Amino acid sequence: MTDIITEQATAAASGATATEQFRNKQRTETADADTKRVDTLVSELLAAARYIIRRHKVTYAEYDALKSWLIQVGEDGEWPLFLDVWLENAVEEVASENRDGSKGTIEGPYYVPDAPILPAEATLPMRDSEEGTPLLLQGQVKGVDGTPLPGATVDIWHADNDGYYSQFAPGLPDWNLRGTVIADDQGHFKIHTIEPAPYQIPTDGSCGRLIAAAGWHAWRPAHLHLKVSAPGHQLITTQLYFQGGSYVKDDIASAVKPELILAPTPVAADTDTDTDTGTGTDAGTGNEVTYDFILDKA
Ligand code: MBD
Ligand code: FE
C-alpha cells in the first residue's frame, strides 16, 4: 500500500474477510452428517435444478456461463455474501418459527465476535470525524413475561454513513461502530451511535455481476445489526431499520419485518436558559428511539 493511493473497497477484499470470519465461527450445534438427511436435501436441490433446466430449455452456453460464474464466486470469496443475501432469510424463518419473543432476522456476513465491552450507557467506538446523524438507541431486555433480565448483553454492529463496515472495507479502525454493551441490572441499555447509510452489494464482484445481469438493484436499507442475549434465555440475532428509509420495502436480502422498523424522533433540546449562546448544547443532537428486546427462555 502506498501513502498516496487511497485503497478502494473491493468485492474480493471484503469477501476474503467474510470467508475467514465464517471459517472461524463456532456454531453451538454442528450439522449432523446423517446420510439420509444429506441424500434428501441434496437430491431435492438437484431435482429442482434439473426441472428448471428442462422447463426453460437451458443451453450449453448458459450452462457454461453458470459454471464460470460459480467458479468466480469462490475466487471472489463471495459465497458468504451470496448465501446470506439470497437464502439466509428462509433458514432464519424456519429457525425462529416457535419463538414468542422479539423478531429476529438474518445475521449477514459482517459480524465479528469479541467487539469491545461497553457499559450500559455507551458511545460506540467511532472516529473523531465520524459523519452521520447521531442516534441514541435505548431500551430494556426482558423475558416473555415482562421480567427485566439482569446480565443481558447487546452486541451491535453497523455500517457507517457511507455504507461501509469496519474490517470489511479499508481505512476504518477495526472496531468502528461495533460494541458489546452490557445492560444494567434491570436490562436497560443506552447506545449512542450514528445512523448508518443503506448498504450496496459490491458492484465489482460476482454478486454484483449477477445483480446487473438480472436487472436488479444492489441495495439493503440502512440497518443496525444486533445479537441480544441473557443468561437462561435464547439469543436473538436481529436487525433494526428506519421508517421511510430507502429500500425498506425492497431489501435485496428480504430481511425486513414490520416489527423491526424504528421511527426515531429528534432528541429534545436542553431546557437550560442559555438557548442563544451557540455552544451547541441546546440544539437537538440527532435522533433517539426506544426499542425493547423480549427473549424466549432457553
Ligand atoms: C449486509 O450488510 C447484510 O446485512 C447482509 C444480510 C448481506 C450483505 C450485507
Ligand atoms: Fe448489514
XYZ file of all heavy atoms in Angstrom, residues 118-192:
573
model
N -18.637 -2.672 26.506
C -19.015 -1.299 26.853
C -20.063 -1.322 27.968
O -20.840 -2.274 28.079
C -19.590 -0.592 25.618
C -18.675 -0.535 24.384
C -19.446 -0.047 23.165
C -17.461 0.350 24.649
N -20.108 -0.258 28.794
C -21.092 -0.201 29.875
C -22.504 0.053 29.343
O -22.693 0.347 28.161
C -20.617 0.971 30.735
C -19.843 1.838 29.799
C -19.222 0.915 28.783
N -23.495 -0.016 30.229
C -24.907 0.063 29.846
C -25.254 1.346 29.099
O -26.105 1.345 28.215
C -25.794 -0.079 31.081
N -24.610 2.455 29.458
C -24.736 3.646 28.623
C -23.380 3.891 27.988
O -22.377 4.061 28.697
C -25.180 4.885 29.412
C -25.167 6.117 28.488
C -26.012 7.293 28.954
O -26.439 7.309 30.119
O -26.230 8.199 28.099
N -23.332 3.869 26.668
C -22.041 3.916 25.985
C -22.174 4.530 24.603
O -23.248 4.506 23.998
C -21.478 2.509 25.854
N -21.063 5.064 24.133
C -20.950 5.511 22.747
C -20.123 4.478 22.010
O -19.063 4.064 22.501
C -20.251 6.884 22.691
O -21.031 7.814 23.448
C -20.125 7.378 21.253
N -20.603 4.008 20.868
C -19.839 3.018 20.107
C -18.514 3.621 19.665
O -18.435 4.837 19.418
C -20.623 2.560 18.869
C -21.901 1.780 19.120
C -22.447 1.226 17.793
C -21.677 0.640 20.114
N -17.469 2.795 19.556
C -16.203 3.293 19.031
C -16.440 3.949 17.671
O -17.106 3.360 16.812
C -15.348 2.032 18.870
C -15.988 0.988 19.727
C -17.440 1.350 19.817
N -15.953 5.161 17.499
C -16.095 5.830 16.204
C -14.997 6.864 16.051
O -14.340 7.232 17.025
C -17.487 6.460 16.057
C -17.795 7.564 17.030
S -19.397 8.339 16.694
C -20.545 7.137 17.344
N -14.776 7.291 14.811
C -13.725 8.269 14.532
C -14.130 9.642 15.049
O -15.316 9.941 15.151
C -13.459 8.332 13.023
C -12.918 7.016 12.471
C -13.091 6.926 10.976
N -14.494 6.656 10.611
C -14.927 6.498 9.379
N -14.088 6.589 8.357
N -16.197 6.251 9.144
N -13.131 10.486 15.356
C -13.432 11.851 15.806
C -14.301 12.545 14.766
O -15.159 13.352 15.085
C -12.144 12.657 15.993
C -11.342 12.118 17.175
O -11.943 11.438 18.033
O -10.124 12.364 17.208
N -14.043 12.221 13.517
C -14.712 12.906 12.405
C -15.918 12.123 11.894
O -16.386 12.381 10.794
C -13.713 13.027 11.259
O -13.279 11.717 10.905
N -16.399 11.147 12.676
C -17.458 10.253 12.176
C -18.651 11.060 11.649
O -19.234 11.861 12.366
C -17.921 9.306 13.286
C -18.683 8.083 12.791
C -17.784 7.110 12.038
O -16.679 6.809 12.517
O -18.184 6.683 10.944
N -18.995 10.805 10.374
C -20.124 11.511 9.758
C -21.426 10.795 10.105
O -21.421 9.602 10.384
C -19.986 11.488 8.234
C -18.679 12.031 7.706
C -18.764 13.506 7.380
O -19.888 13.995 7.154
O -17.705 14.155 7.372
N -22.528 11.526 10.031
C -23.824 10.875 10.199
C -24.629 11.494 11.320
O -24.089 12.070 12.258
N -25.944 11.327 11.216
C -26.853 11.853 12.239
C -26.693 11.065 13.531
O -26.828 9.840 13.519
C -28.308 11.714 11.748
O -28.417 12.343 10.476
C -29.288 12.351 12.728
N -26.401 11.738 14.661
C -26.298 10.997 15.921
C -27.603 10.264 16.225
O -28.689 10.761 15.933
C -26.036 12.100 16.959
C -25.424 13.217 16.180
C -26.094 13.171 14.831
N -27.460 9.065 16.783
C -28.626 8.251 17.125
C -28.432 7.686 18.526
O -27.370 7.148 18.841
C -28.770 7.090 16.135
C -29.889 6.099 16.455
C -31.264 6.723 16.245
C -29.755 4.830 15.607
N -29.470 7.813 19.342
C -29.486 7.161 20.651
C -30.496 6.021 20.595
O -31.696 6.253 20.404
C -29.873 8.163 21.750
C -30.187 7.553 23.127
C -28.996 6.793 23.696
C -30.627 8.646 24.110
N -30.000 4.791 20.722
C -30.867 3.609 20.780
C -30.901 3.139 22.225
O -29.873 2.761 22.781
C -30.310 2.497 19.884
C -31.021 1.136 19.999
C -32.429 1.191 19.421
C -30.208 0.046 19.302
N -32.082 3.222 22.831
C -32.167 2.799 24.230
C -33.322 1.832 24.418
O -34.244 1.785 23.602
C -32.351 4.012 25.140
C -33.582 4.838 24.806
C -33.583 6.153 25.555
O -33.013 6.259 26.632
N -34.209 7.165 24.972
N -33.250 1.064 25.487
C -34.321 0.109 25.722
C -33.979 -0.825 26.851
O -33.069 -0.573 27.644
N -34.754 -1.909 26.902
C -34.636 -2.854 28.007
C -34.730 -4.273 27.449
O -35.513 -4.518 26.534
C -35.768 -2.602 29.005
C -35.645 -3.347 30.306
C -36.757 -2.995 31.285
O -37.800 -2.468 30.884
N -36.553 -3.287 32.562
N -33.956 -5.168 28.021
C -34.030 -6.580 27.658
C -34.889 -7.276 28.709
O -34.629 -7.165 29.905
C -32.623 -7.213 27.592
C -32.710 -8.651 27.098
C -31.697 -6.382 26.694
N -35.945 -7.962 28.236
C -36.919 -8.567 29.144
C -37.249 -9.991 28.705
O -37.038 -10.363 27.556
C -38.228 -7.750 29.139
C -38.050 -6.321 29.627
C -39.381 -5.625 29.779
C -39.845 -4.950 28.510
N -40.924 -3.974 28.724
N -37.811 -10.741 29.629
C -38.332 -12.059 29.289
C -39.719 -11.937 28.684
O -40.325 -10.851 28.693
N -40.247 -13.034 28.166
C -41.569 -13.028 27.536
C -42.645 -12.590 28.540
O -43.630 -11.959 28.176
C -41.887 -14.431 26.946
C -43.322 -14.516 26.452
C -40.920 -14.746 25.805
N -42.424 -12.892 29.840
C -43.394 -12.492 30.875
C -43.164 -11.063 31.368
O -43.808 -10.624 32.324
C -43.341 -13.475 32.050
C -41.961 -13.512 32.706
O -41.069 -12.742 32.263
O -41.772 -14.296 33.650
N -42.245 -10.347 30.748
C -42.027 -8.944 31.111
C -40.957 -8.709 32.170
O -40.644 -7.556 32.473
N -40.381 -9.780 32.730
C -39.347 -9.593 33.765
C -38.079 -9.014 33.157
O -37.597 -9.520 32.154
C -38.898 -10.957 34.375
O -39.799 -11.959 33.968
C -38.699 -10.867 35.851
N -37.526 -7.973 33.796
C -36.239 -7.443 33.337
C -35.164 -8.521 33.456
O -35.187 -9.309 34.407
C -35.952 -6.301 34.318
C -37.249 -5.996 34.983
C -38.046 -7.262 34.975
N -34.254 -8.553 32.515
C -33.216 -9.582 32.542
C -31.855 -8.986 32.900
O -31.216 -8.340 32.069
C -33.149 -10.307 31.198
C -34.408 -11.082 30.802
C -34.235 -11.771 29.457
C -34.772 -12.099 31.880
N -31.413 -9.204 34.143
C -30.073 -8.748 34.506
C -29.032 -9.583 33.767
O -29.310 -10.728 33.409
C -30.005 -8.993 36.024
C -31.107 -9.941 36.339
C -32.096 -9.906 35.219
N -27.875 -8.993 33.523
C -26.799 -9.738 32.860
C -26.977 -9.848 31.363
O -26.302 -10.648 30.706
N -27.902 -9.046 30.791
C -28.114 -9.088 29.339
C -26.984 -8.373 28.609
O -26.402 -7.415 29.124
C -29.455 -8.439 28.994
N -26.689 -8.821 27.400
C -25.731 -8.104 26.561
C -26.364 -7.802 25.209
O -27.182 -8.573 24.692
C -24.417 -8.885 26.328
O -24.702 -10.049 25.572
C -23.746 -9.285 27.639
N -25.998 -6.652 24.681
C -26.480 -6.197 23.385
C -25.244 -5.973 22.516
O -24.503 -5.015 22.694
C -27.287 -4.885 23.524
C -27.774 -4.402 22.161
C -28.471 -5.082 24.476
N -25.011 -6.922 21.625
C -23.860 -6.857 20.730
C -24.363 -6.159 19.462
O -25.329 -6.619 18.848
C -23.429 -8.302 20.444
C -21.998 -8.427 19.971
O -21.391 -7.404 19.631
O -21.512 -9.570 19.941
N -23.750 -5.044 19.095
C -24.273 -4.244 17.978
C -23.164 -3.955 16.968
O -22.015 -3.736 17.361
C -24.932 -2.938 18.515
C -25.448 -2.050 17.380
C -24.010 -2.162 19.436
C -26.334 -0.881 17.860
N -23.506 -4.022 15.690
C -22.548 -3.648 14.642
C -23.319 -3.064 13.473
O -24.433 -3.477 13.175
C -21.670 -4.833 14.208
C -22.328 -5.931 13.402
C -22.220 -6.152 12.057
C -23.169 -7.000 13.905
N -22.934 -7.288 11.690
C -23.523 -7.817 12.800
C -23.652 -7.341 15.178
C -24.337 -8.954 12.918
C -24.481 -8.473 15.306
C -24.805 -9.253 14.192
N -22.753 -2.057 12.854
C -23.444 -1.469 11.704
C -22.498 -0.687 10.798
O -21.362 -0.384 11.172
C -24.636 -0.621 12.168
C -24.313 0.618 12.944
N -23.991 1.809 12.334
C -24.269 0.865 14.271
C -23.783 2.736 13.260
N -23.939 2.187 14.446
N -23.001 -0.378 9.603
C -22.219 0.349 8.609
C -22.123 1.829 8.994
O -22.898 2.324 9.823
C -22.872 0.210 7.233
N -21.182 2.526 8.393
C -21.022 3.961 8.631
C -21.908 4.771 7.676
O -22.768 4.217 6.977
C -19.533 4.359 8.560
C -18.945 4.247 7.153
O -19.706 4.052 6.163
O -17.711 4.364 7.037
N -21.705 6.057 7.666
C -22.529 6.972 6.876
C -22.278 6.837 5.368
O -22.990 7.415 4.557
C -22.240 8.408 7.341
C -23.166 9.437 6.727
O -24.379 9.315 6.833
N -22.596 10.441 6.074
N -21.236 6.040 4.997
C -21.000 5.738 3.583
C -21.420 4.308 3.248
O -21.190 3.836 2.125
C -19.515 5.918 3.236
C -19.075 7.374 3.350
O -19.838 8.257 2.915
O -17.981 7.609 3.896
N -21.989 3.593 4.223
C -22.425 2.216 3.969
C -21.322 1.181 4.111
O -21.488 0.052 3.656
N -20.208 1.531 4.771
C -19.099 0.580 4.911
C -18.993 0.034 6.326
O -19.187 0.756 7.308
C -17.769 1.243 4.528
C -17.669 1.551 3.058
C -17.542 2.868 2.605
C -17.698 0.526 2.108
C -17.463 3.152 1.242
C -17.619 0.803 0.753
C -17.498 2.119 0.323
O -17.425 2.388 -1.010
N -18.640 -1.270 6.418
C -18.434 -1.946 7.703
C -16.949 -2.000 8.027
O -16.142 -2.392 7.166
C -18.952 -3.389 7.619
C -20.455 -3.521 7.648
C -21.197 -3.436 6.473
C -21.127 -3.740 8.840
C -22.576 -3.566 6.491
C -22.502 -3.874 8.872
C -23.219 -3.784 7.690
O -24.589 -3.918 7.722
N -16.598 -1.677 9.287
C -15.207 -1.840 9.701
C -14.801 -3.309 9.568
O -15.629 -4.214 9.741
C -15.004 -1.346 11.137
O -15.840 -2.025 12.044
N -13.556 -3.529 9.225
C -12.931 -4.834 8.968
C -13.337 -5.444 7.623
O -12.797 -6.473 7.224
C -13.157 -5.844 10.117
C -12.608 -5.315 11.451
C -12.616 -6.347 12.560
O -12.228 -7.494 12.354
N -13.039 -5.937 13.759
N -14.292 -4.826 6.916
C -14.677 -5.331 5.596
C -14.485 -4.286 4.508
O -14.837 -4.511 3.356
C -16.125 -5.834 5.611
C -16.298 -7.007 6.534
C -16.552 -6.821 7.876
C -16.145 -8.302 6.058
C -16.672 -7.900 8.741
C -16.260 -9.389 6.917
C -16.519 -9.185 8.257
N -13.975 -3.122 4.908
C -13.643 -2.073 3.948
C -12.359 -1.443 4.467
O -12.139 -1.396 5.680
C -14.764 -1.041 3.871
N -11.483 -1.000 3.578
C -10.199 -0.463 4.032
C -10.345 0.912 4.681
O -11.320 1.624 4.434
C -9.391 -0.364 2.727
C -10.412 -0.245 1.649
C -11.637 -0.977 2.122
N -9.391 1.248 5.534
C -9.308 2.613 6.051
C -10.156 2.896 7.274
O -10.193 4.034 7.737
N -10.847 1.887 7.815
C -11.672 2.117 9.000
C -10.979 1.478 10.208
O -10.430 0.382 10.093
C -13.056 1.477 8.830
C -13.928 2.077 7.736
C -15.144 1.198 7.465
C -14.376 3.473 8.133
N -11.031 2.132 11.388
C -10.491 1.478 12.590
C -11.209 0.149 12.813
O -12.406 0.033 12.534
C -10.822 2.476 13.714
C -11.064 3.787 13.032
C -11.605 3.458 11.671
N -10.484 -0.861 13.326
C -11.011 -2.230 13.418
C -12.398 -2.354 14.041
O -13.221 -3.126 13.578
C -10.056 -3.102 14.241
C -8.982 -3.728 13.366
O -8.988 -3.464 12.141
O -8.146 -4.464 13.916
N -12.635 -1.615 15.134
C -13.894 -1.821 15.846
C -14.861 -0.658 15.650
O -15.786 -0.473 16.443
C -13.635 -2.110 17.331
C -12.858 -3.369 17.474
C -11.520 -3.492 17.746
C -13.339 -4.715 17.272
N -11.146 -4.818 17.740
C -12.248 -5.593 17.455
C -14.600 -5.256 16.961
C -12.369 -6.978 17.339
C -14.712 -6.641 16.846
C -13.603 -7.479 17.035
N -14.648 0.101 14.562
C -15.526 1.240 14.313
C -16.988 0.784 14.238
O -17.344 -0.112 13.467
C -15.131 1.901 12.985
C -15.367 3.393 12.989
O -14.846 4.096 13.865
N -16.133 3.889 12.028
N -17.841 1.418 15.056
C -19.280 1.153 15.066
C -19.611 -0.310 15.385
O -20.547 -0.892 14.830
C -19.913 1.612 13.739
C -19.672 3.100 13.422
C -20.232 3.470 12.061
C -20.244 4.011 14.515
N -18.809 -0.877 16.296
C -19.053 -2.232 16.803
C -18.837 -2.221 18.305
O -17.853 -1.660 18.787
C -18.058 -3.250 16.201
C -18.176 -3.434 14.703
C -17.070 -4.371 14.195
N -17.152 -4.506 12.749
C -17.891 -5.416 12.113
N -18.588 -6.314 12.799
N -17.921 -5.456 10.798
N -19.722 -2.868 19.059
C -19.528 -2.930 20.503
C -20.413 -3.979 21.147
O -21.451 -4.370 20.599
N -19.969 -4.445 22.322
C -20.744 -5.387 23.134
C -21.166 -4.641 24.390
O -20.356 -4.407 25.278
C -19.877 -6.609 23.513
O -19.339 -7.171 22.315
C -20.699 -7.660 24.242
N -22.432 -4.237 24.421
C -22.931 -3.411 25.518
C -23.503 -4.325 26.613
O -24.347 -5.183 26.334
C -24.009 -2.434 25.001
C -24.643 -1.653 26.155
C -23.397 -1.488 23.964
N -23.016 -4.138 27.839
C -23.522 -4.907 28.983
C -24.641 -4.084 29.616
O -24.405 -3.013 30.176
C -22.403 -5.149 30.032
C -21.128 -5.692 29.378
C -22.915 -6.066 31.145
C -21.255 -7.049 28.725
N -25.872 -4.584 29.531
C -27.014 -3.853 30.091
C -26.906 -3.797 31.612
O -26.162 -4.577 32.224
C -28.313 -4.548 29.666
N -27.661 -2.878 32.241
C -27.586 -2.757 33.712
C -28.393 -3.875 34.383
O -28.900 -4.783 33.712
C -27.993 -1.342 34.168
C -29.496 -1.067 34.012
O -30.274 -2.011 33.787
O -29.881 0.117 34.108
N -28.526 -3.799 35.700
C -29.150 -4.924 36.423
C -30.661 -5.011 36.189
O -31.323 -5.933 36.671
C -28.807 -4.871 37.921
C -29.270 -3.569 38.571
O -29.956 -2.760 37.882
O -28.952 -3.355 39.755
N -31.207 -4.052 35.442
C -32.616 -4.131 35.024
C -32.738 -4.383 33.512
O -33.812 -4.225 32.941
C -33.343 -2.826 35.381
C -33.498 -2.631 36.889
C -34.364 -3.730 37.510
O -35.499 -3.961 37.102
N -33.823 -4.456 38.487
N -31.614 -4.702 32.877
C -31.635 -4.972 31.432
C -31.667 -3.720 30.563
O -31.831 -3.806 29.344
N -31.482 -2.545 31.195
C -31.528 -1.307 30.416
C -30.201 -1.032 29.696
O -29.139 -1.306 30.227
C -31.823 -0.112 31.335
C -33.263 -0.017 31.742
N -33.702 -0.248 33.024
C -34.374 0.281 31.009
C -35.015 -0.094 33.085
N -35.449 0.221 31.874
N -30.312 -0.446 28.507
C -29.116 -0.033 27.755
C -29.404 1.280 27.045
O -30.573 1.607 26.748
C -28.730 -1.112 26.726
C -29.838 -1.396 25.743
C -29.967 -0.652 24.577
C -30.787 -2.379 26.002
C -31.005 -0.880 23.686
C -31.840 -2.614 25.121
C -31.945 -1.870 23.965
N -28.333 2.055 26.821
C -28.418 3.327 26.088
C -27.199 3.410 25.195
O -26.070 3.582 25.684
C -28.350 4.509 27.068
C -29.671 4.976 27.606
C -29.494 6.307 28.328
C -30.877 6.833 28.699
N -30.824 8.215 29.151
N -27.424 3.262 23.902
C -26.297 3.191 22.971
C -26.278 4.437 22.085
O -27.230 4.695 21.336
C -26.385 1.918 22.100
C -26.424 0.670 23.008
C -25.224 1.854 21.120
C -26.791 -0.621 22.278
N -25.195 5.192 22.178
C -25.020 6.378 21.339
C -24.202 5.985 20.121
O -23.111 5.437 20.246
C -24.297 7.478 22.117
C -25.039 7.943 23.335
N -25.915 9.009 23.300
C -25.062 7.467 24.605
C -26.433 9.186 24.515
N -25.934 8.265 25.326
